[in-house]
Amino acid sequence: DQPEQYIPVLSYRVGPFAANGASMFSGLIDYLNLTNAKGGINGVRITFEECETEYNTSRGVECYERLKDRQGGASVIETGSTGIAYALLDRLPQDKLPMTTMGYGRADAADGRVFPWVFPLISTYWSQAAAMVEYMAQQSGGMDRLKGKTIVDLYHDSAYGKESFPVLDHYAKEIGFNLIKIAIPAPGIEQQAQWLQIRQAKPDYVILWGFGVMNAAAMKAAARVGYPREKMIGSWWAGSEVDTVPAGDAAKGYLSMTFTAPGSFPVLEDIKGTLYDRGKGNLSGDAKFGSVSHVRGIVIGILMTEAIRAAQQKYGIGRPVTAEQVRWGYEHLVLDEKRLGEIGALGLIPPMKTSCADHEGSGAAMVQEWDGTNFIPKSKGWVAGDRALVRKLAEQSAAQYAADKNITPRDCGKED
Amino acid sequence: MFYRLSGQFRTSYYEDNRLIGEKLERTVFIATMLVASIAIPLVASPYLLSAVLIPFLIFSLAALGLNILTGFAGQVSFGSAAFMAIGAFASFNLLLRVPAIPSLLAFLLGGMCASAIGVLFGLPSLRIRGFYLAASTLATQFFIVWCLSKVGWFTNYAASGVITVQHVAPLGFALDNHVSKYLFVLVVVTTLTVVASNLMRSNIGRSWMSIRDMDVAAEVIGINPLYAKLTAFAVSAFYCGIAGALYSYAYVSTVEPDGFSLDLSFKILFMIIIGGLGSILGSFIGAAFIVLLPIWLNVFFSAMEHFSGLKAPSGITSNVELIIFGGIIIVFLVVEPHGLARLWQRAKEKLQIWPLSH
Amino acid sequence: MQNAIPPLLQLRGISLRFGGVAALANISFDVQEHEVRAIIGPNGAGKSSMLNVINGIYCPQEGEIVFNGEKRTRMSTRMAAAAGFARTFQNIALFQGMTVLENVVAGRNLKFKASLLEQAVWFGRARREEAAQREKAEEVIEFMELERYRKKVVSQLPYGLQKRVELARALAAEPRILLLDEPMAGMNAEEKREMCRFILNSNRRDGTTIILIEHDMSVVMDISDRIVVLDYGRKIADGQPKCVRDNDEVIRAYLGRSERVG
Amino acid sequence: MAFFVEVLVGGLLAGVMYGLVALGFVLIYKASGVFNFAQGAMVFLGALTATGLEQQGVPLWLAIAMTAIFTVVLAILIERLILKPLLAQPPISLFMATLGLAFVIEGLAQAVWGNNARALDLGIPDVPLEWLLDSTGVGVSTFDLVASIIALALIGVLSAFFSLTKTGRALRAVADDTKAALSVGIPLERVLIIVWSAAGLVALVAGLLWGARNGVQYSLTLVALKAFPVLIIGGFSSIPGAFAGGLIIGASEKLADVYIGPMIGGGIESWFPYVLALLFLLVRPEGLFGDRIIRRV
Amino acid sequence: MPQTRTLRRATVARKTRVDYLKLDNVQVVYNGMILVLRGVSMRVPCGKIVTLLGANGAGKTTTLKAISNLLAAERGALSGGSIHFEGRRVDDLGPEALVRSGLIQVMEGRRCFPHLTIEENLLTGAHTRSARRSELNAGLEKIFHYFPRLKVKRRLSAGYASGGEQQMCAIGRALMSNPRMVLLDEPSMGLAPQIVQEIFAIVRDLNQRERVTFLIAEQNATLALDCADFGYVIENGRVVMDGTAQTLKDSSEVREFYLGIGSGERRNFADLSKSHRRRRPFLSVED
Ligand SMILES: Nc1ncnc2c1ncn2[C@@H]1O[C@H](COP(=O)(O)OP(=O)(O)OP(=O)(O)O)[C@@H](O)[C@H]1O
Ligand SMILES: Nc1ncnc2c1ncn2[C@@H]1O[C@H](COP(=O)(O)OP(=O)(O)OP(=O)(O)O)[C@@H](O)[C@H]1O
Ligand SMILES: [Mg+2]
Ligand SMILES: [Mg+2]
């Protein structure tokens, strides 16, 4: 029998965020299936089991507890939900199970010394905010040109919406631009008043740190008050087809951040050829193939298999590894251009390298534009903000957390 | 046949006022408690304890709280999650800011805070009734959650408003593993359930029910609606507050105000309606129904797929589960509109006269 | 004779209007302690409204109420309860979700003194009180011959029994004044007789003052000491049964010629 | 000042859209005294079915007509399977049943049509009318005008239906006392089907308009949330109340958000309408136009 | 077409003249458990007035509800027996169909629609009729003629009306349907003596002039028996006595328990002695 490595999939395919969740988790499953179709990871098959969380914390915890010990134990967990990820935070060290929070969750978890089990891979919210500012500066012709400009942060009034504050506040003070924060309470289906305010403020950019229907509503409202969509930059959770398609023409020209580049890549072709053309794709309806959410799911899968591969490299090739060993793998990911090229994902994500202390790996992001039917790259390559600043903020915050929770940070120097 | 009440005579009113009247039921209750407190911690898997039983008990407690207000005192509320939030955040702040405060006391005071706010938001009930009152309790729900997330002090200025609760050891009993958490929750929930039953068989319980059934007549026999309604709000909010504290300290440990959303409030309301308004047992049955049924459906469908080897298109199963869940709610209501507890009671009555049919 | 003792309850110039329609216009009458005082009149005359004024559910626009020597322009419902008013309603106002026993014990709620905390732990005073009040309530239940229904939820009882439970709830409060709004509607002769027995027993044994609205003339004539007759908000007669019975205006407005009385 | 007017007008127009959603609730409440939790799901279902059909290549008008027929069929099913067996049961049980219904509808809609977000183009432009903007500085779009006209027309027709026709009277009777309504021979079955069809059609209209605004996606179920405060202010049982309540909520919510919000941290739209509604209720416990609460002993 | 239908109905009615309404061994259970009617059989001939006597809780209301098929709304059900109306089996017919075929019930406890005005209440009674406005107005006038008090209060929400006014409204509402058979549940309850007289006068009048058949559950047995042709007495869910009104009036039990006449003369209500025989005089059925 082929050795097996087990990954529980905590997905949400019904409920308010099903449109995102369904494609994303299909992407993950597609990549796992692709890996298996190619003989697994050095011959180790990946098995997985899905559990519906409805994006609901309580059900997420239940799914986690139900699946984590199945089939020889879970290797890694990825919930796609901030609430569930938070709820699992305390359970991970006890279960010795790594969790990835790709593009969401606590930004300070990038400090692996305090959060040994959490991996906010590729980029955190803070890196995203820094990259946003960096992009605006590029467009304006330099950081100093931002001085005196007005930037509106239209944010979802929730924990998520406020994630950008520390970084944006810092930049606003340092560079001297005028930051206006406007909250949109959930669900945010009606934004007429806020957009009238925005029009009055005549901002140079509007950051749309939105979620769900709020994004389409914002684009529509922007169109109504005549604010150019080209000046709106969404966060990456405000940057998928789910957000732009419903807005119809109003979305044309809209920009958003992303940590996965739009476009066609060999790995996508591979999945299409190996799975979809043979009717084995996981998406219901091929229309969503290659959509932003789908690709993000694929990337989650890539990172999972790469971490397992790295762990095998150290602990025994061709044998299943334990969750603790997978964590080691996650801490020693080296996805340079060469490796990315081998996977067929060169350019799909920024090259990244993790370590015991750095659980983020990259910190870069890309700006994409909606051309009416597709997202296309807008920024020239990957953009990263002030990495040192973000790292400093993360370390401060993590230290605070460690103090509150009586955690002694790991000494990364002593680990290999 | 075995379910017979004959031969059981009560000789004093003390006896007739007992918490659980029938001998058999008493035995069953004691057996359940023994199993719950000894057998389950010994044999149950961590999964069962920490992902099923603990949330079930906590939601039962919240449902019980809401049932006191809605089922017994007749004031429908959509704000129970907000009171849970108050309980959670008040306990968090007390433990954070009051040096050396015993955690049990912090929880108690957290519940009291919820109580106090409950009284405040209960005031409109003196004038507003029915669905109007229900809809206006939404103000409570949204306002409190907004406050908690806007005022940094409540979340100890956490950047995004998320708090991670402290490790606590009530009465030296550290809540650091599934079993201890489960036992602690079990003790709290049992105690509060007994207290609720006491209230229901006392004068205050009757006052609540009379206000619910016919407020004019209640006033005419001398019941003070102000007192009755506000105590109901207070006690209910207290229960929800404690449930909130347990939710954060014995279950998820990292919470944000938005976690106590309207959805949660609705969920708790559904528990008591499907379980049975005005029934303590109903709160538990309802919580079990709403918490466990989706899990069972999920497990069932996974098993089906596993055994049949058929793979339904992704997303379909989840939607089918949802449809079945809704369908089952409707079917149960059609069978017994007064909730599962009433269904159970009717089954019991049938057993008593079995094998005769009338 | 009656002048010697001041009346227990006096209503002076009571007027009550609902958006321009006068339900009661300048009504005055008094009630002596221990008497059975009947109010009769055609439908819509304002009898129930009168009771509502007496125990504070309606607030009259004019007039004053003198109870036990105290003058006030309106009663408050709870004050009335505390002062010993108990009442039954024309449209049964029982606590439908509660059992007969609970309804009757609830009638005694003013006798409970234990605090919320004591009730919560079911200890000491709360426990003793519950048993003591229960005993009293059981006496009433026994007296009203409701033992068989003690643990039945009232909503499932037939109409007539509900009326009886309502009377039991009122009697359980050991009232000083009992306001009865058509307590015998929907009963047959024998059942009415029983109700009369309960009412008169309370009146004679405990000295309860009774104000009674009833449309069955034989009952009213038999058991009441004095009768007030209202006619669309006006008082048209007041006096002892035999005077009222023969009053022409009463016959015209209310009794009708063919009513056989006694 | 101009800004104030602009916000005010924007709020009023938003209010019209809220009122449209509230209207569906009112219909059911008026006919059965029940708060229909599934109204949001019905809004979603209506819009999703219409767009789903359209994407299958059916012309839009035909898709809408087919959806309307489907709505009536759904109403018949609801009557048969839920309302009839739950005849004359306490409103809270019916409320719960509508919750079950909401789950069924949501699950069904997504199982059939998938959970993609879709755009819906009704062909009504949603950009401010130039001449109006130029002359008054107030942005009102053709879309707003159409929505307002539709809302007013619906409200007029439905009010007339309820107050002038025999069936309307029967509906109110059913809400007051179902058993008594049965005893006088009101055909409950037909009456309920009519109401639920009407509520379904109103939901369809609301779904189409909201869908054209924000796209057709699950969050359409959330527009129901906006209807709560509208209902409280207007009164659960008043059709014109839904409209008036919508205007009041829309206008005050936007003004508060712009003028009060910044002072206390923003995002007050989440609770402001409810608190406002609560204040209204303290003065008038049955809303502005709702049926008076009759308490008489 | 409507004409032929009436014609057909009429012939059916004539054929079954003897048993216009017929109950055979009807049993009713509430909640699937509580057996309330234990086999009630009765016959109501066409064009007659029949009264139903019985103590509180005997099952009068339940019998009437069984006939008009209103039990389902209270989770009650017919568990045995059959009911025929105009020769047709009707126990599975909905209440609406029954009203259309001419049988209407006035429910116990008034049951007006509180938020509708008195006039609207009356009009709902005519829901099954496809009458023109003028016919409706004529109907209204007829009711107002019977109950002048209602005319005064026609614009008042029924919920605010006095008990008696509501009762008149409920009766008037049923009459608005132009019924051919009326089930009256305690029509005299809460009405002033004059109006009670009036009600029975109306019953007699409708019966004689429009040949409306009545089944009346009534506690004012004196009046009911005066007005009725036949009577049934039920106790504890069973018919324990039946016969012409006169036979019942002459029976000593009925005299004592329903008419309040003990040993030849009316007993005074102020007499506190317990009656020598307790309730349930006819049969000692188990509790
Ligand atoms: N919904 C119900 N559920 C259970 N039992 C019921 C229900 N309705 C009535 N009963 C029972 O049925 C029996 C007969 O009731 P019913 O109302 O028919 O009596 P009735 O003869 O009309 O009495 P009354 O003169 O008091 O109106 C009673 O014992 C009552 O308890
Ligand atoms: N809250 C109210 N609003 C409007 N009108 C009212 C109100 N209460 C009573 N009325 C009117 O006042 C009049 C007197 O009513 P009341 O109930 O006192 O009559 P009643 O003498 O008890 O009659 P009945 O014998 O029929 O019970 C009635 O015409 C009634 O319609
Ligand atoms: Mg009256
Ligand atoms: Mg009856």
Side-chain angles (χ1 to χ4, degrees), chain C residues 43 91 182 190-191 197 222, chain E residues 56 110 266 269 272 275:
Chain C
N43 296 117
N91 278 325
E182 299 191 19
E190 181 57 29
E191 288 155 348
R197 190 156 56 78
D222 283 355
Chain E
N56 287 146
R110 304 174 189 118
R266 195 183 79 85
F269 281 100
L272 288 195
S275 48

Side-chain angles (χ1 to χ4, degrees), chain D residues 101-116:
Chain D
L101 178 65
F103 285 147
V104 173
I105 290 181
E106 282 166 19
L108 208 62
Q110 298 193 69
V112 173
W113 297 114
N115 40 29
N116 296 14

Side-chain angles (χ1 to χ4, degrees), chain C residues 158-160, chain E residues 57 60-62 108 185-186:
Chain C
Y159 194 87
Chain E
K60 305 180 293 296
T61 301
T62 308
E108 177 180 61
D185 201 349
E186 316 239 357

Side-chain angles (χ1 to χ4, degrees), chain C residues 16 18-19 21-24 41-50 52 58 90 181-182 213 215 230 232, chain D residues 295-297, chain E residues 110 149 153 156 159-166 168 190-192:
Chain C
L16 178 71
F18 295 106
V21 184
L24 296 171
N43 296 117
K47 306 179 294 295
S48 301
S49 304
M50 194 70 228
N52 283 347
Y58 284 165
Q90 184 173 13
D181 199 344
E182 299 191 19
I213 298 176
H215 283 303
L230 300 183
Y232 302 129
Chain D
R295 293 165 67 226
R296 190 184 186 278
V297 283
Chain E
R110 304 174 189 118
R149 182 74 187 154
K153 295 273 164 186
L156 182 75
Y160 291 122
S162 85
E165 289 161 354
Q166 289 185 7
M168 296 179 221
L191 291 177

Side-chain angles (χ1 to χ4, degrees), chain E residues 159-181:
Chain E
Y160 291 122
S162 85
E165 289 161 354
Q166 289 185 7
Q167 180 72 354
M168 296 179 221
C169 176
I171 296 173
R173 185 176 65 187
L175 296 184
M176 283 293 286
S177 73
N178 267 358
R180 278 175 296 120
M181 163 140 207

